[in-house]
Amino acid sequence: MRFRVAPLAGLIVPVVLLAIWQVVTARGLFSASQLPPPGDVMAALGELLSRGDLWTHLRASLTRVLLGYLAGAAVALGLGSLVGLSLTARRLLAPTVATLRTVPSLAWVPLLLLWFGIDETPKVLLVAIGAFFPVYTTTASALAHVDAQLLEVGRAYGRRGASLLTTVMLPAAAPELVNGLRLGLANAWLFLVAAELIASSKGLGFLLIDSQNTGRTDVMLVAIVLLAGLGKLSDSALGALERRMVGRRG
């Protein structure tokens, strides 16, 4: 019985919040323009579905996240591996990357728009920047702290260079690397909204700012819930992969 109840425990807080939301709106503590009731939000979702607008916004956002995340994670894995494995590379590159990491997401937007215009390129690049830093940091740290005894065993079996990296170091650091990929994915969603809020005509971020301009708080809440749901689903997929790796390692 315990194993059946445990997965449902995470639904308790959302259900309670939904009930509070319904009670607050029913008692008129907020106007409909400030906080519409859950039924109005569901009606707005149905409206977007019936017009076909929702799929347009979802497709645009998912495409940007996918392309930007894959590009940012790939570069981060490569550079993080280099910094994690080479003391010289760490001394040369790590301080600069650490400095760039502190730049707020919105600070990149004007420069990217100036360089690449207002098409898809700056949006994908901003997502890639968001995904890059968590993956890079985790990769560099994980590889730099691989158990020295494992490395000695690998070298004893003739592993050197790329062979040592792929057969010993990466498997040993795999759970930490997947955790970094999860953090990078979460950051990618954050940077996506920053990109779509400023320079876009479609996407969930655009839907947020457009609904604010038109006074459609119900549509705004639909966009927020969808962003939360998509972020949670994508994180859960990588989380399942992480648990599988940890189980094999154990």
Side-chain angles (χ1 to χ4, degrees):
M1 184 64 178
R2 182 180 302 172
F3 295 102
R4 294 180 181 177
V5 174
L8 300 178
L11 297 176
I12 294 176
V13 172
V15 170
V16 171
L17 291 176
L18 184 62
I20 294 174
W21 178 8
Q22 179 62 47
V23 171
V24 166
T25 54
R27 292 188 176 182
L29 299 179
F30 292 92
S31 67
S33 62
Q34 293 176 314
L35 183 65
D40 288 0
V41 176
M42 291 302 298
L45 176 61
E47 178 186 341
L48 290 171
L49 285 170
S50 64
R51 296 203 312 254
D53 293 346
L54 184 62
W55 304 120
T56 300
H57 295 304
L58 281 175
R59 183 165 54 249
S61 291
L62 287 171
T63 300
R64 290 162 185 159
V65 167
L66 179 63
L67 294 177
Y69 176 69
L70 290 177
V75 174
L77 287 172
L79 188 61
S81 297
L82 178 62
V83 170
L85 296 174
S86 170
L87 180 60
T88 301
R90 192 177 313 148
R91 289 173 174 171
L92 286 174
L93 300 175
T96 301
V97 177
T99 301
L100 292 174
R101 185 184 180 187
T102 64
V103 178
S105 60
L106 291 179
W108 294 102
V109 174
L111 188 61
L112 293 175
L113 292 178
L114 179 65
W115 287 350
F116 302 104
I118 59 173
D119 61 0
E120 291 300 301
T121 303
K123 302 176 186 62
V124 172
L125 284 176
L126 189 61
V127 174
I129 291 171
F132 170 84
F133 290 105
V135 178
Y136 158 82
T137 302
T138 306
T139 302
S141 177
L143 292 178
H145 295 91
V146 171
D147 191 340
Q149 292 183 349
L150 286 176
L151 299 180
E152 289 300 324
V153 171
R155 293 189 182 100
Y157 281 91
R159 307 297 186 187
R160 296 288 187 280
S163 176
L164 182 66
L165 173 66
T166 56
T167 61
V168 177
M169 300 185 73
L170 287 180
E176 291 82 3
L177 296 182
V178 175
N179 185 54
L181 291 172
R182 292 178 67 181
L183 295 174
L185 184 57
N187 229 31
W189 282 106
L190 296 176
F191 275 59
L192 169 79
V193 174
E196 292 183 340
L197 282 175
I198 293 178
S200 184
S201 59
K202 56 186 176 180
L204 295 176
F206 166 78
L207 193 61
L208 276 172
I209 197 67
D210 184 63
S211 60
Q212 179 189 23
N213 293 334
T214 57
R216 293 294 304 272
T217 313
D218 51 354
V219 175
M220 188 187 305
L221 289 171
V222 168
I224 292 173
V225 171
L226 287 173
L227 284 167
L230 290 171
K232 175 58 178 175
L233 285 173
S234 55
D235 178 73
S236 296
L238 286 179
L241 177 61
E242 181 182 20
R243 288 191 296 273
R244 186 174 181 181
M245 287 184 172
V246 170
R248 287 182 175 180
R249 190 178 184 183

